[in-house]
Amino acid sequence: MSQIIAQLKKSLSDTLNIFYPFSGSIKNNLFIHDFDTSVPFSEARVNCSMFEFLKHQETDLLALFVPYRAFCKETDTTIGQVAIQLNIFVCGGIAIGLSCSHKIEDATTSSAFLHSWAATFTGSPEKVLHPNFSEGSTMFPPRDSLPQKHIDTMDNLWFKEGDYVTRRFVFHDKAIATLRAKAKSELVPKPTRIEALTCFIWKHCMAASKGISAGLKKTSMAMLVQAVNLRARMKPRLSDASIGNIFWWAPAAVDLTMEERELHELVDLVNAAIAGFDTDFEKNLQGNEGYLAFSDYFDQLEEMFSAEIKPDVWAFTCWLRFFNDLDFGWGKPFWIGIMGKVGSAFRNLIMFSETPCGIGIEAWVTMDEKEMAILENDPEFLAFASLNPSILLPL
């Protein structure tokens, strides 16, 4: 084991030589500098076998397997942009925990980094994905400053003190097929698996929120924002080696005072929002003029969140096919755990990932504890979703 640990550290160091901004620190919440800051690498001994841990299905404990708590504001800007924790079970099994800053990494960038580290570790230089740091900054030129109001708006959008919990739901292939059939319409005759699941979960999250806020007039609008990878939508197309946070949100909104929307109607809304990126929209985001478009978007958000009654915002992102084929020489991962217990300020996030054996889709849902209590006891929701089933057995 000591030889494996030494080689993991050596290969990580070699990988950081080409992904050098990852070992830099944040300056003024705008730039990464001092590329020799280094990256934390810690080791943890797990006092049970991997089989025993997975058998108990206590997903909150995943927070112990990563260096930093997931989805929270960084408190230390003097450290590198990634941190690694090597978790070693008594059986000899290994779980690699990664924490990374969303200031420089989206899922595509994290995937490129991890695959390159794995290729370096196994002595496969031909599989190393050499990062391209210029494409993203050419399309989206950096600025010397950003209005504080835009930074505050992002804080208001994602962070709000409360009691939040995360639950893992699994959708079997048969359930997904049924939902896709229910979700089809004249506008979207063949909805994707993610479109059907996204709108099904959003529909029931809205119902849970309304159940808590009944009579309180908590909000009159629900917004969905779907993460869209911009690389494939740029003209010319950006490669997957383009490093950065190169994604944007496709928004869809529903008036909660109106009659409840059917599943296929929500799919129509979300599909149209994502299709907007296939027009000239991405051109409006590029170059120096793109900043004006982003600024206008933030002004609209600021106005929305300055109202007395604020909208509910639900964010969806998909991690399918990003990490399930990582191979450090021991075979592909048995399972990718998304996160453990979240902080007390991050809310309303749904992440999709692979299931063990690649059968079905996992949805990791973070929301208010009281709303979650309604969702996880919703018979219509549970007719399609299984709450934290066994990780060890195929579905």
Side-chain angles (χ1 to χ4, degrees):
M1 184 60 69
S2 60
Q3 185 177 355
I4 291 176
I5 294 172
Q7 181 59 24
L8 281 171
K9 290 180 178 180
K10 173 66 167 56
S11 57
L12 175 61
S13 179
D14 292 341
T15 306
L16 289 169
N17 283 336
I18 58 174
F19 285 82
Y20 60 89
F22 289 20
S23 57
S25 58
I26 295 290
K27 181 180 180 181
N28 299 333
N29 207 28
L30 280 174
F31 308 103
I32 297 175
H33 72 146
D34 192 10
F35 301 135
D36 294 325
T37 298
S38 77
V39 164
F41 186 104
S42 56
E43 301 169 30
R45 302 286 170 170
V46 186
N47 194 27
C48 68
S49 68
M50 184 178 289
F51 177 86
E52 285 294 321
F53 176 78
L54 295 176
K55 183 175 69 173
H56 289 291
Q57 302 164 225
E58 295 184 34
T59 53
D60 275 0
L61 293 181
L62 289 174
L64 301 176
F65 286 74
V66 290
Y68 302 111
R69 172 165 280 181
F71 299 102
C72 61
K73 298 180 185 180
E74 72 271 55
T75 57
D76 186 355
T77 59
T78 64
I79 58 176
Q81 302 310 295
V82 296
I84 308 295
Q85 181 172 311
L86 184 65
N87 304 281
I88 305 169
F89 294 84
V90 295
C91 61
I94 292 175
I96 296 177
L98 172 72
S99 296
C100 59
S101 169
H102 225 318
K103 283 184 166 58
I104 187 174
E105 291 187 56
D106 57 10
T108 301
T109 293
S110 294
S111 177
F113 171 72
L114 288 172
H115 279 86
S116 296
W117 180 19
T120 303
F121 178 82
T122 57
S124 307
E126 73 282 359
K127 295 182 180 179
V128 172
L129 190 63
H130 290 270
N132 187 318
F133 296 109
S134 62
E135 283 187 338
S137 59
T138 299
M139 289 282 190
F140 309 104
R143 298 181 63 84
D144 292 333
S145 63
L146 283 176
Q148 183 61 41
K149 65 177 184 177
H150 291 347
I151 298 173
D152 293 340
T153 297
M154 290 303 291
D155 279 351
N156 291 333
L157 178 62
W158 297 120
F159 297 100
K160 179 183 178 183
E161 288 294 328
D163 295 318
Y164 304 109
V165 295
T166 299
R167 295 289 184 266
R168 167 182 169 263
F169 295 96
V170 176
F171 293 84
H172 300 251
D173 281 345
K174 184 178 179 180
I176 296 172
T178 302
L179 288 174
R180 290 182 69 188
K182 289 177 174 288
K184 67 181 181 181
S185 67
E186 184 177 340
L187 291 176
V188 188
K190 294 183 178 180
T192 66
R193 295 186 303 165
I194 295 302
E195 284 177 331
L197 287 181
T198 292
C199 294
F200 175 75
I201 294 173
W202 184 31
K203 177 181 174 69
H204 287 271
C205 284
M206 286 190 288
S209 179
K210 288 178 68 175
I212 290 297
S213 60
L216 300 178
K217 202 176 181 182
K218 175 186 170 186
T219 183
S220 59
M221 179 186 293
M223 285 186 64
L224 174 148
V225 288
Q226 172 73 56
V228 177
N229 185 354
L230 297 179
R231 292 169 180 81
R233 300 171 187 272
M234 291 290 121
K235 297 180 179 58
R237 185 191 191 283
L238 302 185
S239 71
D240 287 342
S242 296
I243 301 303
N245 236 357
I246 309 177
F247 80 98
W248 197 237
W249 300 104
V254 168
D255 186 345
L256 296 178
T257 63
M258 306 292 287
E259 185 177 348
E260 184 176 328
R261 298 291 187 103
E262 297 296 329
L263 179 60
H264 70 273
E265 294 176 310
L266 296 177
V267 170
D268 289 346
L269 281 175
V270 173
N271 182 272
I274 296 174
F277 287 88
D278 294 327
T279 60
D280 291 334
F281 179 78
E282 83 283 349
K283 293 182 181 178
N284 297 329
L285 299 180
Q286 298 178 36
N288 291 316
E289 293 300 317
Y291 170 74
L292 297 178
F294 280 113
S295 185
D296 180 62
Y297 179 82
F298 279 110
D299 286 341
Q300 294 178 41
L301 285 177
E302 182 183 10
E303 180 178 355
M304 195 180 303
F305 282 92
S306 63
E308 181 180 355
I309 301 176
K310 299 172 175 54
D312 267 343
V313 180
W314 302 90
F316 287 77
T317 186
C318 178
W319 279 15
L320 298 185
R321 296 183 293 278
F322 277 118
F323 308 108
N324 60 306
D325 62 344
L326 274 171
D327 191 348
F328 280 83
W330 315 305
K332 296 177 182 179
F334 174 75
W335 180 60
I336 304 293
I338 298 294
M339 57 186 157
K341 187 172 178 60
V342 297
S344 60
F346 196 83
R347 56 177 177 157
N348 295 8
L349 174 69
I350 294 87
M351 304 179 71
F352 296 113
S353 68
E354 308 280 354
T355 60
C357 306
I359 303 172
I361 294 176
E362 295 189 355
W364 293 70
V365 181
T366 298
M367 62 192 297
D368 174 81
E369 186 174 21
K370 293 180 180 179
E371 293 176 0
M372 181 65 78
I374 294 177
L375 182 68
E376 62 187 2
N377 288 285
D378 180 346
E380 292 184 11
F381 185 74
L382 295 179
F384 296 92
S386 299
L387 174 58
N388 198 26
S390 174
I391 299 166
L392 292 171
L393 300 176
L395 299 174

